[in-house]
Amino acid sequence: MSVLAIAHRAGNSLAGLHEANALGVDVIECDVHEHRGRLEVRHLKTAGPLPFLWDRWELASASAPRLGLRELLEADRHGTTFMLDLKGRHTRAARSAARLLHELGHDRPLLVCGRHWPSVELLTGLPYVRPVLSARTRAELARLRTRLVTGSRVHGVSVHRSLLDKTLVGELLDHVEVVMTWPVNDTGVLEGLLTIGVNGIISDEPDLLAALVAGRE
């Protein structure tokens, strides 16, 4: 199969959605949070009762408008393949997403990923969902390797690039169709990952994604 070009966080805004579709990427990723009964797509996290959203060096007002998953899906005009990255160590977002997808009559392929695997697995009963299990740390990777051998089959895995080598990628591909990795924002890094067999590239860089798509022609 071709190497998947995955636009990291592009689904967190309507502008990002349109720009990524214009590039011709294969998958558009968005971060899905359940907040007070509503599914929101955003990278920034809430800060409890404090009036802001945050992530490392970034702050934003908690009162600023937030894009909902419903609005994102309804705005799509390209038959986009989305990847929903479910956030949080609970299944509320997954349960709400299942209800929303049913309401919208969604039936196109949809990737669902997350580091909280019960959330991902909750949606595997939907016929169009392709589950992707994520691992960010060495401890998570160790659990992932065991899970792939002992559990039900999943479509793919998403593993931080610092954990990957050629032997591991080969092992993972014995159990899944796609081995994705992030962050890939440099051409040299991209070439190294393709050399070891990675077939899903998650990037924030439009030029890198465009080059990946153009390389198939």
Side-chain angles (χ1 to χ4, degrees):
M1 64 177 293
S2 299
V3 176
L4 290 178
I6 305 163
H8 191 216
R9 303 177 186 166
N12 289 354
S13 71
L14 296 184
L17 168 67
H18 299 320
E19 290 168 5
N21 274 322
L23 290 173
V25 301
D26 302 295
V27 179
I28 292 179
E29 186 254 8
C30 59
D31 300 314
V32 179
H33 299 258
E34 196 276 344
H35 183 64
R36 297 179 179 175
R38 180 174 184 263
L39 288 175
E40 301 175 349
V41 287
R42 53 179 166 80
H43 179 64
L44 297 178
K45 298 177 279 288
T46 57
L50 300 177
F52 58 80
L53 304 176
W54 69 279
D55 181 62
R56 294 189 181 182
W57 317 118
E58 185 177 358
L59 291 176
S61 171
S63 62
R66 305 182 199 175
L67 180 64
L69 180 59
R70 176 186 292 273
E71 290 82 1
L72 175 70
L73 297 177
E74 290 180 337
D76 178 43
R77 298 293 183 269
H78 293 83
T80 298
T81 297
F82 288 100
M83 180 161 71
L84 310 185
D85 187 354
L86 301 175
K87 300 299 185 181
R89 301 196 63 80
H90 50 71
T91 60
R92 290 196 299 273
R95 296 179 187 280
S96 295
R99 290 193 294 270
L100 175 60
L101 293 167
H102 177 72
E103 290 172 14
L104 296 177
H106 189 94
D107 60 1
R108 298 191 305 277
L110 180 74
L111 280 67
V112 177
C113 73
R115 294 170 68 185
H116 185 245
W117 302 342
S119 293
V120 177
E121 291 164 342
L122 190 149
L123 291 169
T124 57
L126 299 176
Y128 48 82
V129 165
R130 299 173 180 174
V132 177
L133 304 181
S134 297
R136 174 63 180 84
T137 66
R138 293 196 178 279
E140 290 175 346
L141 175 60
R143 289 196 300 112
L144 177 63
R145 295 169 80 176
T146 299
R147 165 64 179 76
L148 293 179
V149 173
T150 60
S152 57
R153 189 171 180 85
V154 295
H155 176 70
V157 295
S158 179
V159 179
H160 193 274
R161 66 180 176 87
S162 64
L163 303 175
L164 294 176
D165 58 35
K166 187 176 182 64
T167 299
L168 176 60
V169 172
E171 174 191 324
L172 296 173
L173 286 172
D174 285 338
H175 300 282
V176 300
E177 293 182 39
V178 183
V179 174
M180 306 175 185
T181 194
W182 87 98
V184 188
N185 295 323
D186 174 85
T187 301
V189 171
L190 171 63
E191 291 174 353
L193 292 167
L194 296 180
T195 298
I196 65 173
V198 170
N199 60 356
I201 298 298
I202 304 173
S203 178
D204 301 280
E205 291 297 326
D207 289 347
L208 187 146
L209 291 166
L212 194 59
V213 172
R216 302 169 188 166
E217 298 174 358

